[in-house]
Amino acid sequence: METPRLRVGRPITPEEFELLEDEQLLRLLPRAYREYFPGKDFCADGFFYLHDGTAWSFYKGGFVDE
């Protein structure tokens, strides 16, 4: 089975989220938001909040409210 390439903004499944490490998840975030990533353990339901109150979702590959 081939491992999917980690690209910024690519949505992932909850199963993929569980398998990826923090360093791998960082590759899915735009550079401007990487410093706000709290680590996988603090991402409830695959998303986390940024400094301005918006939330980034790994499952959507973008902001929760887009």
Side-chain angles (χ1 to χ4, degrees):
M1 186 171 159
E2 191 174 311
T3 304
R5 186 174 173 144
L6 300 175
R7 299 183 138 209
V8 171
R10 184 177 84 69
I12 59 173
T13 65
E15 292 78 20
E16 289 174 310
F17 180 80
E18 290 302 319
L19 294 174
L20 296 174
E21 301 291 328
D22 283 354
E23 296 79 25
Q24 294 169 306
L25 289 171
L26 274 175
R27 292 186 199 165
L28 300 173
L29 299 172
R31 289 185 197 267
Y33 307 123
R34 289 179 184 178
E35 68 181 275
Y36 301 107
F37 177 56
K40 180 178 172 178
D41 293 338
F42 298 100
C43 290
D45 296 324
F47 71 89
F48 66 95
Y49 289 99
L50 301 172
H51 65 291
D52 60 2
T54 57
W56 180 269
S57 171
F58 287 102
Y59 303 155
K60 286 184 71 175
F63 294 105
V64 171
D65 56 355
E66 285 185 341

